[in-house]
Amino acid sequence: MLDIQKIRAEFPILSQTVNGKPLVYFDNGATSQKPQIVIDAIAKYYQEINANIHRGVHTLSQLATDAYEISRGKVQHHINAKFAHEVLFTSGTTHGINLVTNGFASILKPGDEVIVSSLEHHSNIVPWQMLCEKTGAVLRVIPMNEDGELIMKAYEALLSEKTKVVTVNHISNALGIINPIKYMIEKAHAVGAAVLIDGAQAVPHLKPDVQDLDCDFYAFSGHKMCGPTGTGILYGKEAWLNKLPPYQGGGEMIKEVTFEKTTYADLPHKFEAGTPNIAGGIVLGTAIDYLNSVGFENIQKQEEELLAHATKSLLEIEGLKIYGTGKNKASVVSFNIDGIHPYDIGSIIDKLGIAVRTGHHCAQPIMNFFCIPGTIRASFSFYNTKEEIDLMVEAVKKAKTMLS
Ligand SMILES: *Cc1c(COP(=O)(O)O)cnc(C)c1O
């Protein structure tokens, strides 16, 4: 079992008070908090090795380059990518998805089809819509049921030889539903479509195995997995990354530049134009080491208990409805109380020190499906406790009394 108090002590922000109350941080789906070891690693980089990478022959530049490439190797190992050059540093999930949609602009033809799911974050909808507008491809949407689960029969009916790409999240940020992506990837490949997995909400809870999943792309952010903001990874299969054109032009991504013609650098540099977030990339490796030292089995066990406790306690409140009641769920509870706007509850419980997200969670189509303006979303991390959940439940009850 995890020693939660010891773990909490590693996260300085968790001992803060907010509005005069101890902070209860349940907005982990938006961004996770950072352990001291990650915070220290950022300072250490700037204090000891700050230099630009892949360029200088001087010692610091080599140290920085080595640290950056070691971190790439850590990510490769963590997600079980076949090659380190299949691991691209990005500024986050959004960047990774846009890199892919930009590449597909030169591949898709009018009438080709792109399949997205109805559970997607806006950042896995809008870039594909932009791509379809540019190319004349058609966007198709996998519907979901009342439990917030994607309907597999409908998905299979959408697939055809016209399908060129399927894009779906591993775990829904708004509802916490875990999608059957391995099955979906297999079905997509059967019609020759490429698959992008948005793993932004998965990586804080589990260790994806990209070779086992057999996905073509897997995008995630560092900041939701205890790493710094402005960091992320796009995994892509070598063959796809070779096929896609570069996303941005600039320094670092070239082999040779003349005014007549430029040739591009090999992977991964072809997709890493300009000076990247060097400190961030290095420290993302520190965050991954940290999570592995806690252990994903332990993380899942703790989070499952938190989810069960929160679900049970919240449902005791009369008029409270949870959205996303499917069986396979990560530690996210999205809910509303009859007749009360989620924003009003969120504001009152914030005064009591409780940080939750209210609104559409960048997933408006899901809110439209349920005919609601938004939800209150409590998203738990392994460093949260049942006592904190009890504080939230009490606060929600108090808010309900005040508002009804
Ligand atoms: C947070 C999130 C994103 C966007 O991540 P950024 O870090 O903002 O780029 C995309 N998809 C899902 C499912 C998310 O939760």
Side-chain angles (χ1 to χ4, degrees):
M1 264 322 288
L2 289 179
D3 181 346
I4 301 298
Q5 290 316 320
K6 183 166 160 277
I7 283 175
R8 288 180 67 80
E10 292 166 355
F11 289 78
I13 209 169
L14 296 179
S15 54
Q16 231 174 229
T17 55
V18 166
N19 296 321
K21 309 279 182 193
L23 169 66
V24 172
Y25 187 77
F26 285 163
D27 197 15
N28 296 287
T31 199
S32 72
Q33 295 304 346
K34 320 300 174 201
Q36 191 66 49
I37 194 170
V38 162
I39 300 168
D40 287 346
I42 296 171
K44 188 175 155 73
Y45 168 79
Y46 286 113
Q47 284 163 1
E48 296 176 9
I49 53 174
N50 176 53
N52 213 328
I53 52 170
H54 302 133
R55 305 170 189 216
V57 292
H58 66 82
T59 304
L60 287 188
S61 173
Q62 281 172 9
L63 283 175
T65 304
D66 288 350
Y68 200 64
E69 293 307 321
I70 285 171
S71 181
R72 193 192 305 273
K74 279 181 190 172
V75 177
Q76 176 203 353
H77 184 70
H78 184 69
I79 64 173
N80 193 30
K82 196 166 177 192
F83 306 112
H85 61 253
E86 294 177 319
V87 173
L88 310 181
F89 282 110
T90 64
S91 65
T93 309
T94 306
H95 176 185
I97 294 169
N98 278 276
L99 187 158
V100 174
T101 58
N102 177 78
F104 270 92
S106 63
I107 293 176
L108 296 192
K109 306 265 177 306
D112 283 347
E113 295 185 355
V114 173
I115 297 182
V116 303
S117 96
S118 48
L119 280 177
E120 298 312 304
H121 187 283
H122 294 163
S123 68
N124 200 27
I125 300 174
V126 182
W128 297 103
Q129 280 175 325
M130 290 162 63
L131 171 66
C132 287
E133 240 164 64
K134 213 184 288 180
T135 59
V138 181
L139 194 75
R140 311 291 299 268
V141 184
I142 311 165
M144 65 176 177
N145 64 24
E146 284 291 326
D147 289 323
E149 296 166 317
L150 296 177
I151 302 170
M152 284 303 114
K153 275 219 164 67
Y155 168 57
E156 285 165 45
L158 284 175
L159 287 167
S160 74
E161 71 283 1
K162 286 190 214 155
T163 314
K164 293 296 177 273
V165 194
V166 172
T167 186
V168 62
N169 58 37
H170 196 161
I171 298 182
S172 151
N173 64 303
L175 306 179
I177 295 291
I178 304 173
N179 289 312
I181 56 166
K182 193 166 173 182
Y183 178 79
M184 295 177 77
I185 292 164
E186 201 184 300
K187 291 289 168 191
H189 283 168
V191 298
V195 184
L196 181 143
I197 302 297
D198 170 352
Q201 292 294 333
V203 288
H205 310 294
L206 56 87
K207 207 168 144 150
D209 182 330
V210 293
Q211 288 193 74
D212 176 57
L213 289 169
D214 199 27
C215 53
D216 300 284
F217 303 98
Y218 194 101
F220 59 96
S221 302
H223 69 95
K224 292 178 181 174
M225 58 186 309
C226 295
T229 53
T231 65
I233 295 294
L234 176 70
Y235 159 80
K237 276 186 189 162
E238 183 187 55
W240 271 115
L241 294 181
N242 279 328
K243 193 165 169 185
L244 297 187
Y247 180 38
Q248 293 183 312
E252 185 72 3
M253 53 76 74
I254 53 92
K255 219 170 231 156
E256 205 172 293
V257 178
T258 67
F259 283 110
E260 287 68 44
K261 177 149 182 72
T262 289
T263 50
Y264 304 129
D266 293 331
L267 296 175
H269 308 294
K270 172 179 150 191
F271 290 103
E272 295 183 347
T275 301
N277 180 354
I278 303 169
I282 293 170
V283 177
L284 176 54
T286 311
I288 286 176
D289 284 345
Y290 173 77
L291 287 175
N292 280 314
S293 77
V294 177
F296 280 90
E297 260 176 45
N298 293 329
I299 288 173
Q300 280 163 20
K301 186 150 185 290
Q302 169 70 2
E303 291 177 349
E304 271 164 29
E305 282 180 19
L306 294 173
L307 176 66
H309 184 66
T311 306
K312 180 173 169 289
S313 317
L314 282 169
L315 285 175
E316 282 164 11
I317 300 176
E318 219 187 283
L320 187 142
K321 178 173 158 67
I322 291 177
Y323 300 89
T325 40
K327 270 200 301 289
N328 230 344
K329 262 189 86 167
S331 52
V332 172
V333 200
S334 223
F335 63 94
N336 270 331
I337 295 179
D338 242 2
I340 305 179
H341 199 283
Y343 178 84
D344 295 334
I345 293 182
S347 309
I348 291 179
I349 70 174
D350 172 58
K351 299 276 185 304
L352 301 168
I354 292 150
V356 291
R357 175 101 182 249
T358 59
H360 55 61
H361 319 300
C362 299
Q364 279 179 352
I366 299 179
M367 305 304 137
N368 295 342
F369 174 85
F370 288 114
C371 301
I372 50 177
T375 68
I376 300 150
R377 181 189 70 181
S379 47
F380 311 118
S381 177
F382 57 93
Y383 47 65
N384 290 127
T385 65
K386 286 185 185 167
E387 292 71 33
E388 288 183 301
I389 288 171
D390 294 341
L391 286 174
M392 174 184 73
V393 172
E394 281 318 302
V396 170
K397 283 182 186 161
K398 202 176 272 181
K400 184 188 169 202
T401 312
M402 285 169 71
L403 293 165
S404 41

